[in-house]
Amino acid sequence: EPEVTQTPSHQVTQMGQEVILRCVPISNHLYFYWYRQILGQKVEFLVSFYNNEISEKSEIFDDQFSVERPDGSNFTLKIRSTKLEDSAMYFCASRATGGGGYTFGSGTRLTVV
Amino acid sequence: AQTVTQSQPEMSVQEAETVTLSCTYDTSESDYYLFWYKQPPSRQMILVIRQEAYKQQNATENRFSVNFQKAAKSFSLKISDSQLGDAAMYFCAYRTPGVYGGSQGNLIFGKGTKLSVKP
């Protein structure tokens, strides 16, 4: 069964450093998403991406965040200057057209120290 | 704005028994999708079942079924013949129509229900 692949599975970074989280969505999917889940809390929407541009973003997705689809297969989330409160599990998801379910990757656990 | 409420932070069920997890949502839309996701300790998000609002028939997937009450904006998940492997966090989610409508929407999640299965 097709999978969404996320790397790395766990990243530790120092406060103020830049991090890039990587995702390979399912190849025939057209909609891409990033969500985050702070430990013990609910999953929160960050951003959606369609047709090579951001289609929607939440208030969490401020100027410190950016997304790219540099080569038609990878989908990246960059955090420019990490803060302690960015520590969370970050999930990438992709979806085909219509009412299909979202397929989530296994997540990247980001720890900012 | 759309909201999703899961009023049961924790539930427990005996192995082989049936359990129902509750979910209510608020929306002014008439056409939308609802989902249940399972999150085991590995924290992977696994799609359990989905329901299209325009379909009156309740969705079923093997031991998992939903009771979709559109007028009441209720979307409960029933797990029959519970197994130890069902122990996990369960999240109810609503898909928004998105800025451009149609398929652009993202998911709004409830806070989750932690299900324990007793042997």
Side-chain angles (χ1 to χ4, degrees):
Chain A
E1 188 167 330
E3 290 183 343
V4 174
T5 305
Q6 287 188 245
T7 55
S9 57
H10 190 191
Q11 180 153 0
V12 181
T13 188
Q14 290 202 327
M15 190 169 54
Q17 295 296 303
E18 174 184 286
V19 295
I20 297 176
L21 310 184
R22 302 181 190 280
C23 170
V24 179
I26 293 173
S27 61
N28 64 345
H29 283 186
L30 299 178
Y31 303 90
F32 313 113
Y33 306 83
W34 284 101
Y35 291 81
R36 81 171 185 189
Q37 184 184 30
I38 295 172
L39 186 65
Q41 299 188 23
K42 67 178 178 180
V43 181
E44 300 173 294
F45 167 71
L46 292 178
V47 65
S48 59
F49 194 87
Y50 170 71
N51 200 25
N52 290 319
E53 61 182 17
I54 291 173
S55 52
E56 196 170 354
K57 59 184 180 180
S58 72
E59 57 190 25
I60 301 170
F61 194 87
D62 61 21
D63 292 343
Q64 292 298 313
F65 292 87
S66 63
V67 289
E68 271 193 332
R69 190 160 159 76
D71 56 12
S73 61
N74 290 285
F75 179 50
T76 62
L77 174 69
K78 182 193 290 186
I79 308 175
R80 289 190 182 81
S81 179
T82 51
K83 306 171 196 166
L84 294 176
E85 54 265 37
D86 293 328
S87 294
M89 195 77 162
Y90 288 80
F91 291 101
C92 173
S94 70
R95 185 171 65 80
T97 59
Y102 297 62
T103 302
F104 282 81
S106 53
T108 293
R109 181 173 299 186
L110 177 65
T111 303
V112 182
V113 298
Chain B
Q2 296 94 348
T3 57
V4 176
T5 302
Q6 293 179 251
S7 59
Q8 306 153 315
E10 294 187 25
M11 291 282 284
S12 181
V13 64
Q14 203 72 33
E15 196 176 4
E17 296 294 306
T18 295
V19 64
T20 299
L21 308 184
S22 301
C23 174
T24 58
Y25 58 94
D26 187 26
T27 183
S28 58
E29 302 293 328
S30 59
D31 191 17
Y32 47 86
Y33 294 85
L34 296 163
F35 304 85
W36 278 98
Y37 278 89
K38 171 185 177 181
Q39 188 180 44
S42 67
R43 299 189 74 182
Q44 171 88 38
M45 294 291 287
I46 302 166
L47 177 65
V48 175
I49 200 165
R50 71 183 182 104
Q51 175 77 42
E52 297 160 75
Y54 66 85
K55 288 188 176 179
Q56 292 186 336
Q57 186 173 7
N58 289 321
T60 62
E61 285 287 343
N62 302 315
R63 298 182 295 108
F64 298 88
S65 62
V66 298
N67 183 5
F68 174 50
Q69 302 287 329
K70 191 173 183 179
K73 296 179 183 175
S74 170
F75 182 60
S76 60
L77 174 70
K78 185 171 83 171
I79 306 174
S80 304
D81 185 26
S82 297
Q83 300 175 359
L84 295 177
D86 295 333
M89 281 290 286
Y90 285 82
F91 291 96
C92 177
Y94 166 94
R95 192 183 95 177
T96 70
V99 173
Y100 304 111
S103 300
Q104 298 288 334
N106 63 77
L107 294 176
I108 296 175
F109 286 86
K111 291 186 176 181
T113 296
K114 184 177 180 181
L115 178 67
S116 302
V117 181
K118 298 177 181 177

